[in-house]
Amino acid sequence: MPKKKKYIKGGKTNGPSHKNGGIPIEVEGGEYIIKKDSVNAETQPILEKINKTGKFQYRDGGKIPIVDARKRSKK
């Protein structure tokens, strides 16, 4: 079995897909796992900012609006 990598500070993993064996990881209670399809050019900077600072705000402050993905136009 491959050596388990530690992501104490979080971050994006690199390795095979589930179909090809995946990556063995350990998680703590309360940690979130984001599915690969949810990470893209639009969401990755937000996820990295949340992971680094514990919060995310727009440049001038304010709450992040709730977005209903079903109502978004397909690109």
Side-chain angles (χ1 to χ4, degrees):
M1 178 175 278
K3 183 179 177 182
K4 292 179 184 173
K5 292 185 178 184
K6 294 189 178 192
Y7 292 90
I8 294 170
K9 295 182 180 181
K12 181 179 177 184
T13 60
N14 293 303
S17 66
H18 287 291
K19 179 179 159 185
N20 293 315
I23 303 168
I25 63 168
E26 291 182 20
V27 297
E28 294 180 329
E31 291 182 328
Y32 279 82
I33 305 298
I34 306 296
K35 65 182 182 165
K36 179 170 55 174
D37 293 346
S38 295
V39 182
N40 55 51
E42 182 181 3
T43 61
Q44 187 168 349
I46 295 167
L47 295 169
E48 289 175 1
K49 174 100 175 178
I50 292 169
N51 192 51
K52 184 176 180 180
T53 66
K55 58 186 175 181
F56 181 80
Q57 292 183 341
Y58 291 102
R59 175 178 278 166
D60 297 323
K63 293 183 179 181
I64 300 172
I66 296 173
V67 177
D68 186 342
R70 296 170 293 186
K71 295 180 182 176
R72 296 181 77 182
S73 62
K74 300 280 184 188
K75 293 183 180 180

